[in-house]
Amino acid sequence: MSDETPVCSAKGCRADAVWVLAWNNPKIHTPERRKTWLACEEHREHLSQFLGVRGFLKDVVTLAEWESGAAQGA
């Protein structure tokens, strides 16, 4: 496992990730499956909107919450 801080998933962004955007594509994923994108403060809204308009966005939580496992069982 790497000690590097996770970075934002936005194209070209290398900022530290603060948010986890949990999503799935209902056409190809089972309902309980969650894929994740990471987001910095600057890109959280943009990435959330991108997933949201497609009906893919399921949850947005802080990286700390996700890593603690609090959101993964929901």
Side-chain angles (χ1 to χ4, degrees):
M1 184 170 172
S2 173
D3 287 336
E4 293 182 29
T5 301
V7 297
C8 181
S9 297
K11 185 174 182 176
C13 185
R14 303 310 300 161
D16 290 352
V18 179
W19 298 96
V20 174
L21 287 64
W23 62 278
N24 90 6
N25 179 341
K27 292 182 180 179
I28 60 174
H29 300 128
T30 59
E32 65 278 353
R33 173 87 189 265
R34 292 293 181 268
K35 304 278 286 176
T36 58
W37 281 357
L38 302 177
C40 65
E41 286 292 346
E42 180 181 350
H43 291 112
R44 181 184 74 110
E45 187 62 31
H46 171 75
L47 293 174
S48 293
Q49 287 180 357
F50 181 90
L51 293 168
V53 297
R54 290 158 179 80
F56 294 176
L57 187 62
K58 302 301 178 191
D59 203 7
V60 178
V61 298
T62 66
L63 181 59
E65 285 178 283
W66 186 266
E67 289 178 337
S68 75
Q72 296 179 39

